[in-house]
């Protein structure tokens, strides 16, 4: 699976949009971009995933560049409860395929 | 939504004892489950892939005789840390993959904090 690069940490003001970038320049054509987050001392939580088109759900939006070499996770109105480590992972689709975590971005939402 | 239950959430044991951690998929059948370990301020490290009815596949550097994995049913996988030592103290997390649907997603348990004295 392709590797990803994320900034180690970011701050965001409560109520503002949080934009978390991810570089995945070696992504293959059949690899999806997945985003998970981990709140302290809990298991990771799925947020969103996409292949090439932008995606939106009740939690976030995922913007993937046309060349698919980078993406941005957008939390439209960050709250204090969104403080977590956010992981961007590229992975081929399939129930038996492993999910390999990188170092992620620690998002700190400030009051 | 899909839920993965992990038990216990916290365990303290003496050095040399064995500890079993259970991971259950509550509302779906999981032919594949994954076990991770996480040290403080570090990312999750994949330890092994647990396959129902067959032997687990371990990642490089993970001792299969130390970390015994059993996936006897489609809803239960167990990880046993044998002869635990203080260096095995860590946060252990399981995940289960729900097949089908619009793109598979992995669901994670809440984790088990193991402290070996």
């Amino acid at each position: 699976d392709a590797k990803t690069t994320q900034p180690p940490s970011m701050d965001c003001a409560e109520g503002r949009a949080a934009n978390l970038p991810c570089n995945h320049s070696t992504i293959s054509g059949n690899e999806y971009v997945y985003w998970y987050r981990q709140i302290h001392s809990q298991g990771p939580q799925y947020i969103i995933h996409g292949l090439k088109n932008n995606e939106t759900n009740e939690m976030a939006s995922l913007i993937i560049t046309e060349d698919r070499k980078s993406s941005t996770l957008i939390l439209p109105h960050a709250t204090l409860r969104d403080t977590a480590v956010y992981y961007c992972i590229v992975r081929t689709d399939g129930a038996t395929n492993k999910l390999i975590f990188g170092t992620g971005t620690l998002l700190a939402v400030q009051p | 939504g899909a839920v993965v239950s992990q038990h216990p959430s916290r365990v303290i044991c003496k050095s040399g004892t064995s500890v079993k951690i259970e991971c259950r998929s509550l509302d779906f059948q999981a032919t594949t489950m994954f076990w991770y370990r996480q040290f403080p301020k570090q990312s999750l490290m994949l330890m092994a892939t647990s396959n129902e009815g067959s032997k687990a596949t371990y990642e490089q550097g993970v001792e299969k005789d130390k970390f015994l994995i059993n996936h006897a049913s489609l809803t239960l996988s167990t990880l046993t840390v044998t002869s635990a030592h203080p260096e095995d103290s860590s946060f252990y997390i399981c995940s289960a993959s729900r097949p089908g649907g619009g793109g598979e997603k992995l669901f994670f348990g809440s984790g088990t904090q193991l402290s070996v004295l």
Side-chain angles (χ1 to χ4, degrees):
Chain A
D1 291 338
K3 291 186 178 179
T4 62
T5 304
Q6 299 177 252
S9 64
M10 292 182 64
D11 286 348
C12 176
E14 188 177 18
R16 304 298 292 269
N19 297 281
L20 291 90
C22 179
N23 287 321
H24 30 80
S25 59
T26 60
I27 191 170
S28 300
N30 62 345
E31 288 182 314
Y32 287 72
V33 180
Y34 281 80
W35 282 84
Y36 285 79
R37 73 179 182 183
Q38 184 181 25
I39 296 170
H40 182 62
S41 297
Q42 296 183 23
Q45 175 190 23
Y46 166 83
I47 301 173
I48 199 168
H49 76 290
L51 183 62
K52 58 178 73 173
N53 297 322
N54 297 337
E55 302 287 343
T56 295
N57 63 21
E58 64 278 5
M59 290 184 68
S61 295
L62 173 61
I63 308 298
I64 302 174
T65 58
E66 194 169 341
D67 63 7
R68 301 207 327 122
K69 293 184 176 182
S70 66
S71 61
T72 301
L73 177 74
I74 301 173
L75 307 179
H77 306 287
T79 70
L80 298 179
R81 286 180 291 183
D82 291 323
T83 293
V85 178
Y86 288 76
Y87 295 98
C88 167
I89 302 167
V90 292
R91 169 184 179 261
T92 52
D93 216 13
T96 60
N97 292 344
K98 301 182 285 190
L99 203 65
I100 304 299
F101 287 81
T103 53
T105 296
L106 173 58
L107 174 68
V109 181
Q110 309 290 345
Chain B
V3 177
V4 173
S5 174
Q6 189 172 340
H7 179 80
S9 59
R10 182 179 296 272
V11 58
I12 301 172
C13 69
K14 292 182 178 180
S15 185
T17 60
S18 295
V19 175
K20 180 184 285 189
I21 303 169
E22 293 187 348
C23 181
R24 296 180 184 273
S25 56
L26 296 184
D27 60 355
F28 65 97
Q29 294 183 330
T31 55
T32 302
M33 292 186 177
F34 302 91
W35 287 95
Y36 294 82
R37 180 169 56 181
Q38 185 175 33
F39 293 108
K41 299 188 184 301
Q42 295 187 21
S43 185
L44 287 81
M45 184 193 79
L46 180 65
M47 299 175 67
T49 301
S50 172
N51 303 298
E52 189 268 336
S54 65
K55 291 183 179 181
T57 303
Y58 290 82
E59 295 298 304
Q60 190 174 9
V62 178
E63 301 175 59
K64 61 180 181 180
D65 295 330
K66 172 77 171 175
F67 301 100
L68 300 179
I69 291 173
N70 184 280
H71 194 155
S73 77
L74 287 171
T75 59
L76 174 64
S77 175
T78 60
L79 168 68
T80 301
V81 183
T82 62
S83 186
H85 289 92
E87 58 265 29
D88 298 321
S89 297
S90 185
F91 192 54
Y92 292 86
I93 307 168
C94 72
S95 68
S97 186
R98 184 180 68 183
E104 286 82 7
K105 298 182 285 289
L106 283 174
F107 298 92
F108 288 81
S110 54
T112 297
Q113 182 63 54
L114 171 63
S115 300
V116 184
L117 304 179

